[in-house]
Amino acid sequence: MRPRHPLVPRPKDWAADIEKASGGSIKSVVFPSEQLGKAFDHYDMARDGIADLTYVNPGYQPGRFPVIAAGQLAVHVR
């Protein structure tokens, strides 16, 4: 399956830059389209060592990240 999400090319570019800057000693594999795990699980995958780096959307787990949830509070401007 070809990844279609617009965020996929940037991590691939970043990984290529890191590989180049490290002289090839650091290599990365990008798993798009939930190939390594469901989006809901990405935080736990990084925490548990399944992945070294993940893209996490805290909104997938309401209540788990209360500081970030503050950004969803209604603001009333007078």
Side-chain angles (χ1 to χ4, degrees), residues 1-74:
M1 173 194 278
R2 181 175 167 219
R4 298 181 188 274
H5 196 284
L7 291 176
V8 172
R10 299 300 69 87
K12 288 184 175 186
D13 293 344
W14 185 54
D17 288 346
I18 291 171
E19 184 172 343
K20 182 178 177 183
S22 71
S25 65
I26 300 173
K27 298 196 180 287
S28 302
V29 177
V30 177
F31 293 94
S33 306
E34 298 183 333
Q35 292 174 355
L36 192 59
K38 295 292 181 190
F40 181 88
D41 299 322
H42 284 184
Y43 178 85
D44 294 331
M45 290 167 49
R47 181 197 63 195
D48 297 339
I50 295 168
D52 294 316
L53 184 69
T54 63
Y55 183 80
V56 177
N57 179 345
Y60 287 149
Q61 297 184 6
R64 184 167 183 183
F65 305 100
V67 173
I68 293 174
Q72 299 173 348
L73 296 174

